[in-house]
Amino acid sequence: MNNFNERRDSTRIDLNNIDGFFRQCDIATSSCSSDLDITILNISPCGMKLKLNSEEDLTKLDLNTEVFIRGCIFNDRIGFLSSQKAVAVWKEESLVGLRFTPELDFDEPALRKMMISH
């Protein structure tokens, strides 16, 4: 299991070159009964940085909250995230860092190749 420094050292793939529509997902949390609308900002095999798209959702996702990613826009680049579990490890205003539990089955080069626009 990665410790904090190993996770922080992992290479992140910036998704700014992918249209925002294709980076949107819904996540379900154990702490509230509604889904939260997010946009993925960057990703690595260990986790991802996201933006909460609704002001109402800022108080619904606390640190150490377990989340279930669902409702991703399904395409050949990020649809694989549907059904992935994660935990919130940091939060700063509308930005949140999630650690995948378990980590993705892809190494960084394979993940990077999946993110290339076709």
Side-chain angles (χ1 to χ4, degrees), residues 58-84:
L58 296 180
T59 60
K60 294 180 182 177
L61 182 59
D62 296 320
L63 290 181
N64 300 314
T65 299
E66 292 183 327
V67 302
F68 183 73
I69 301 168
R70 63 180 184 186
C72 281
I73 302 299
F74 192 84
N75 63 44
D76 61 348
R77 290 174 283 193
I78 63 171
F80 66 90
L81 286 175
S82 292
S83 302
Q84 177 69 39

Side-chain angles (χ1 to χ4, degrees), residues 10 13 16 19 27 38 43 47 61 74 76 99-101 103:
S10 65
I13 301 165
N16 286 333
D19 188 26
I27 59 174
I38 65 163
I43 190 168
L61 182 59
F74 192 84
D76 61 348
R99 177 178 43 88
F100 295 132
T101 56
E103 292 182 6

Side-chain angles (χ1 to χ4, degrees), residues 50 58 63 90-97:
L50 61 90
L58 296 180
L63 290 181
W90 64 265
K91 182 178 176 185
E92 186 176 302
E93 298 178 12
S94 66
L95 302 178
V96 178

Side-chain angles (χ1 to χ4, degrees), residues 34-73:
S34 62
D35 285 352
L36 310 179
D37 180 39
I38 65 163
T39 299
I40 303 168
L41 302 177
N42 66 43
I43 190 168
S44 78
C46 300
M48 68 182 183
K49 178 180 177 181
L50 61 90
K51 179 180 180 264
L52 294 167
N53 293 328
S54 169
E55 294 264 338
E56 297 171 3
D57 291 345
L58 296 180
T59 60
K60 294 180 182 177
L61 182 59
D62 296 320
L63 290 181
N64 300 314
T65 299
E66 292 183 327
V67 302
F68 183 73
I69 301 168
R70 63 180 184 186
C72 281
I73 302 299

